Each structure stands twice: as C-alpha cells, then as structure tokens.
Amino acid sequence: MTVPALTAETRWRCTLCGNLTRFDVTRTARVTEFLHFDLAGESAVEETEVHSETVESVRCRWCNAVDQVELVARPGAGTPEASAEQG
C-alpha cells in the first residue's frame, strides 16, 4: 500500500491518535548523487537528484499504527501571510 504524498500545503496526521510530528517512513528512491571524497577517503554528498520516490509505509511513533495516516492542510498554507513569512 502506498501512502499519500506530501505537498507544500499538506502534512500527515495519524487517524488513530492525532500525531502530526513523529513517523517512521519506509520509502524506495532512485537517485543520482555526487559524492566528494576528501584526501582521507571520507565522503560527503554534495548534490542529489531524485528520479523517483515512493513512500511504501508510514508508522506512527506515538501509537505504533501502520499505514493509518491521512493528508491534512498545514496551518497557514496558501494564505498571503504564510507566503510573506516564508519569503
């Protein structure tokens, strides 16, 4: 079962306990990363290009419910005040 994708105007909410902030997310992604290695051999990802991504499951950290999430509006999303605060 896939989970609804998040947008700039939405967030997840657990339908059982109301949690909005803590989730364990299992996802599959196909990415290309630019790795920069220092002279000691330690690497850091400097660029990431996501080709595709699928959220497979979401588990609520509060009540341990699996795949019981819904999309709800983020507070202030889409209002002129919220856009001014972000910019």
Side-chain angles (χ1 to χ4, degrees), residues 54-71:
T54 303
V55 176
E56 296 174 10
S57 69
V58 178
R59 183 176 61 85
C60 177
R61 272 286 177 115
W62 286 3
C63 71
N64 215 27
V66 178
D67 295 330
Q68 295 293 318
V69 297
E70 64 180 353
L71 285 180

Side-chain angles (χ1 to χ4, degrees), residues 26-82:
T26 302
R27 63 188 175 99
T28 301
R30 189 171 160 282
V31 299
T32 299
E33 294 178 330
F34 169 67
L35 298 176
H36 179 199
F37 290 86
D38 64 18
L39 295 177
E42 298 294 322
S43 66
V45 177
E46 291 194 356
E47 294 176 16
T48 301
E49 180 183 353
V50 179
H51 302 287
S52 64
E53 182 177 40
T54 303
V55 176
E56 296 174 10
S57 69
V58 178
R59 183 176 61 85
C60 177
R61 272 286 177 115
W62 286 3
C63 71
N64 215 27
V66 178
D67 295 330
Q68 295 293 318
V69 297
E70 64 180 353
L71 285 180
V72 295
R74 290 186 188 193
T79 63
E81 298 83 26

Side-chain angles (χ1 to χ4, degrees), residues 2-14 19-27 53-58 69-75 77:
T2 58
V3 178
L6 299 174
T7 67
E9 293 82 29
T10 61
R11 62 182 177 175
W12 287 327
R13 178 184 174 277
C14 178
N19 170 31
L20 294 166
T21 60
R22 303 284 191 267
F23 299 97
D24 288 318
V25 179
T26 302
R27 63 188 175 99
E53 182 177 40
T54 303
V55 176
E56 296 174 10
S57 69
V58 178
V69 297
E70 64 180 353
L71 285 180
V72 295
R74 290 186 188 193

